[in-house]
Amino acid sequence: MEKVTVLDFARKKASGEKITMLTAYDFPTARIIDGSGIDAILVGDSLGMVVLGYDSTVRVSMRDMMHHAKAVARGVKRALVIADMPFMSYQTDPATAVRNAGRFVREAGCSAVKIEGGGEMVERARAIVSAGIPVIGHLGLTPQSCSKMGGYKVQGRDSRKAGEIIADARRLEEAGCFALILECVPVSLAREVTAKAGIPTIGIGAGADCDGQVLVINDIIGYFEDFLPRFAKQYARVSDVVRKAVQDFKKDIERGEFPDKDHSFTG
Ligand code: KIV
């Protein structure tokens, strides 16, 4: 079984084949996603909200991310595993960015990292790429700076902001990023960035014209009940399945029906 690499991303962009990506945060889920043939697994800092119960991604630490990135990497044989660099693990200076990116590769076994933002973050991307670590950029709605953006809002609706996103995309490509995530931007802007970029775009709430798509696993399987973003499609309702199993287990114990002889040892 051939491992997916950043070269496969470039090949798919060239051939027009769509790139598939999902998040994962633990070993069993990573195994299922990998076994299903998804190209890339992002250990997203969405971890903070959908798994750890924080109220935003800025609360996620390097320690949180390393713990989950290691578990995911252990469960994956084929997909490209990308670690999301958490808030303040790369923003302060290039040396810190390179050191923390290196930990995801050397200690956790990931193959690439993701950082959010354009502007000054372009230089962080360049420094990490120069150290030999593949980087995926992230533009549009960048949740780590959502306070600055005034909340979780679609980005690039006005021409000034759209122009900034197009310019940042070009600069991140020139800095050596192998792909770009575009989150919550209008379809027309994502189409323009995708057409202009030499590297693949992966959309999340950015329409169908991106070179690939990513969603949060808990959203698509229905295993996070607080909210479902409008752009996320729910393919199952795992919370209901878990709730029913837990309720049946409780009932069985209370009625004296578990454990029965099939689940007990004799002699
Ligand atoms: O943290 C995350 O899961 C993400 C994606 C959904 C793009 O950044």
Side-chain angles (χ1 to χ4, degrees):
M1 184 191 311
E2 297 249 318
K3 277 261 322 156
V4 177
T5 72
V6 296
L7 299 182
D8 294 301
F9 272 56
R11 182 182 53 74
K12 284 200 167 188
K13 167 124 186 154
S15 68
E17 267 176 274
K18 292 285 186 188
I19 298 164
T20 55
M21 187 186 293
L22 276 171
T23 68
Y25 317 99
D26 61 52
F27 176 86
T29 313
R31 258 200 176 167
I32 292 171
I33 296 173
D34 191 42
S36 307
I38 291 285
D39 295 313
I41 298 182
L42 172 68
V43 191
D45 64 357
S46 46
L47 164 78
M49 291 165 96
V50 302
V51 173
L52 300 181
Y54 298 150
D55 57 2
S56 90
T57 60
V58 300
R59 306 278 299 279
V60 177
S61 65
M62 269 303 286
R63 192 188 160 113
D64 293 330
M65 286 302 301
M66 286 293 292
H67 184 67
H68 288 268
K70 285 179 187 176
V72 168
R74 284 194 289 266
V76 174
K77 291 195 169 70
R78 177 184 169 274
L80 185 81
V81 180
I82 304 164
D84 208 357
M85 296 195 65
F87 185 55
M88 285 300 135
S89 70
Y90 59 95
Q91 282 91 344
T92 51
D93 60 275
T96 304
V98 172
R99 192 170 53 251
N100 283 325
R103 292 192 62 202
F104 282 116
V105 175
R106 203 183 51 204
E107 294 174 43
C110 297
S111 297
V113 297
K114 174 170 87 59
I115 66 171
E116 292 185 5
E120 298 216 338
M121 296 312 117
V122 173
E123 291 317 309
R124 306 292 184 274
R126 194 188 308 279
I128 299 168
V129 173
S130 302
I133 299 170
V135 177
I136 183 163
H138 183 161
L139 294 174
L141 173 59
T142 47
Q144 291 176 14
S145 27
C146 94
S147 303
K148 199 169 115 190
M149 293 173 164
Y152 297 95
K153 296 190 173 124
V154 175
Q155 299 294 307
R157 278 200 158 126
D158 61 281
S159 59
R160 186 192 55 81
K161 186 66 194 169
E164 263 174 46
I165 291 172
I166 292 166
D168 280 335
R170 196 177 46 242
R171 295 177 64 221
L172 284 167
E173 176 177 351
E174 185 269 320
C177 287
F178 72 94
L180 278 180
I181 286 180
L182 296 177
E183 179 164 353
C184 284
V185 297
V187 174
S188 56
L189 175 57
R191 187 184 303 128
E192 186 173 347
V193 174
T194 303
K196 286 183 168 154
I199 54 176
T201 58
I202 312 294
I204 173 161
D209 296 315
C210 295
D211 298 304
Q213 299 290 329
V214 59
L215 283 177
V216 167
I217 183 72
N218 296 55
D219 290 340
I220 74 157
I221 66 172
Y223 199 34
F224 180 64
E225 298 188 303
D226 289 8
F227 62 88
L228 181 70
R230 182 174 150 209
F231 55 72
K233 181 170 172 186
Q234 199 176 69
Y235 291 82
R237 295 185 62 89
V238 165
S239 297
D240 290 346
V241 174
V242 173
R243 192 174 295 108
K244 168 124 186 14
V246 171
Q247 287 166 353
D248 289 350
F249 172 68
K250 178 173 179 283
K251 260 188 242 154
D252 274 3
I253 296 169
E254 288 167 353
R255 290 178 184 153
E257 289 173 8
F258 178 84
D260 54 13
K261 72 174 178 3
D262 290 348
H263 298 94
S264 305
F265 302 101
T266 50

